[in-house]
Each structure stands twice: as C-alpha cells, then as structure tokens.
Amino acid sequence: MSIEQNKALVRQLIEEILNRGNISLVDELFAPDFVEREELPPGMPRDREGFAMLIPMMFNAFPDFKATIEDMIAEGDKVVLRMTWRGTQKGEWMGMPPSGKSMSIGVIDIFRIVGGKFVEHWGLTDSMAMMQQLGAMPAAE
C-alpha cells in the first residue's frame, strides 16, 4: 500500500472507530495477529480484542469523546499521529467515579500497516493531565 493509502486507513480508524465507536470495523481493519504495544488496563489482552474492548469503555466514561488529528506523518509501513482527545467524564473510568469534568489531552500514536491491515500499535497518552483535569489528582502549580 502507498503512504497515502496508509494515512487514509488511519483516518478511517480515527473517524469510524474512535469517534463513532464502530468497533465492528476492528476485525476488518486489524490483522488477526495484531499486537498492541501500548499499556492497556489490567486483564485486557494486548491484541485486536483488547483494542476493541477499550472503545466501549471510553464511550461509557466519555459519551462525547472526540479525537482530533493535529499532525499525521507517514513513512514506509508506519503512520505517526499527534492527536487531542476531548471528552466529559459521565461514567466510571479506570475505577474513577464520574466527575462531570472535561478533559483535553495530548496523544501520540504509531501504527504499522501491512497489506492494508493494522499489525502493530504503540501509543503514549498524557494520563497525568487527564487525571488532573478529572480531579483525580492535584494539578501542578
């Protein structure tokens, strides 16, 4: 696949799966042997099943969740994203009761794509900023 096709596939993942919660596309877009290299909540498998499990958890906690692509860079079989995630916590998130507070955090993702399917993902999420914005820990002074 071309670099532009890989970027289009990543845009589809962000718009359809992350922003609309359409997890039925996970089996179509992710290779059966997909490996999740980002830290997941305890007990979640580090494969496409684990990725699919995370999406409903996000929408239950943040029903207005929105991922915005700020930058996208691609080379070879990898696509790198810098995104902003936004949402208002209306449900439990990682053991934290609903706070009603909004968050806006930075996220960096790297996807490796082979044959038109996601085969690997690495990600970094500004979890500390999220916890501070949701009131789970004090903000830095």
Side-chain angles (χ1 to χ4, degrees), residues 22-115:
N22 185 358
I23 59 170
S24 65
L25 285 176
V26 170
D27 286 344
E28 178 183 327
L29 301 180
F30 287 68
D33 59 349
F34 171 80
V35 178
E36 176 59 73
R37 305 217 182 264
E38 183 172 8
E39 193 63 37
L40 294 176
M44 291 182 76
R46 297 178 67 118
D47 56 16
R48 70 182 187 178
E49 179 186 343
F51 184 91
M53 291 168 63
L54 193 58
I55 305 307
M57 288 173 59
M58 288 285 297
F59 277 98
N60 286 333
F62 304 96
D64 61 346
F65 178 82
K66 173 83 170 147
T68 303
I69 297 172
E70 308 293 350
D71 289 303
M72 183 184 297
I73 302 165
E75 184 175 322
D77 62 357
K78 292 189 179 85
V79 178
V80 179
L81 294 172
R82 181 179 66 87
M83 291 186 287
T84 302
W85 284 8
R86 294 176 178 85
T88 307
Q89 188 193 16
K90 302 284 186 176
E92 183 179 308
W93 177 249
M94 303 296 173
M96 294 184 319
S99 67
K101 295 181 178 183
S102 294
M103 60 95 177
S104 177
I105 60 168
V107 175
I108 305 248
D109 285 305
I110 303 171
F111 291 96
R112 188 165 75 86
I113 301 164
V114 174

